[in-house]
Amino acid sequence: MNEEFYAAIKLVSGEEIFAMVTPCEEQSRTLLLLDTPVVFETVTMKHMGVSAIKVDPWMTIGDDSTVIIDMSKVITITEVKDDQVLSIYKKYLRDKDRDSNETKVNEEMGFLSSISDARVSLEKLYKGS
């Protein structure tokens, strides 16, 4: 019963959350381990006339990305296989710890050089063809 799956969960409090879920049995009760639970919100951008999905963390305080919920607190749970929803969630996971939109350059990305060295190299390529 320890299979992971993406799910939308409706809690008795009325909240709807989305997370990677792993159910587990403990002392004759079922617990749900939620990995990075989030809340989806549809936002309308008036100036553009389009709707977008806003993703926020379900719990804003705390550093632990895993939350445990007892099934007695759940009204319903449904597996989500929609590629668009999964894509939005996975993008959120990739970007959630980023401070900015900038990518740090490292040696695994390719050849690093100074601007003057790169100019000389590119001029040789251009003149050689």
Side-chain angles (χ1 to χ4, degrees):
M1 182 166 180
N2 287 339
E3 284 189 37
E4 293 182 335
F5 60 96
Y6 293 102
I9 305 163
K10 179 78 168 189
L11 301 175
V12 294
S13 64
E15 296 171 289
E16 294 181 22
I17 57 177
F18 180 87
M20 170 67 82
V21 177
T22 306
C24 65
E25 295 289 328
E26 184 178 299
Q27 299 176 359
S28 74
R29 65 182 185 161
T30 303
L31 300 175
L32 299 177
L33 300 167
L34 308 180
D35 185 29
T36 317
V38 297
V39 178
F40 286 105
E41 180 182 348
T42 303
V43 180
T44 303
M45 293 185 269
K46 294 178 184 176
H47 64 281
M48 297 175 72
V50 295
S51 293
I53 302 285
K54 179 181 176 188
V55 182
D56 285 323
W58 180 51
M59 303 216 16
T60 56
I61 300 175
D63 295 334
D64 195 7
S65 65
T66 303
V67 178
I68 301 171
I69 294 181
D70 193 299
M71 273 300 285
S72 66
K73 304 297 181 192
V74 175
I75 293 175
T76 188
I77 183 169
T78 183
E79 186 172 2
V80 175
K81 295 182 180 179
D82 184 341
D83 289 335
Q84 189 174 17
V85 173
L86 297 178
S87 167
I88 292 168
Y89 180 69
K90 289 175 184 176
K91 182 177 182 340
Y92 167 79
L93 292 178
R94 278 192 312 270
D95 296 344
K96 73 181 176 82
D97 294 325
R98 259 193 210 177
D99 292 334
S100 71
N101 229 4
E102 296 178 16
T103 302
K104 291 189 167 77
V105 179
N106 62 40
E107 290 183 10
E108 293 176 3
M109 293 177 163
F111 182 70
L112 301 178
S113 67
S114 67
I115 293 174
S116 58
D117 291 342
R119 180 180 295 131
V120 170
S121 177
L122 291 172
E123 285 177 353
K124 284 181 184 176
L125 286 173
Y126 180 73
K127 290 177 183 177
S129 59

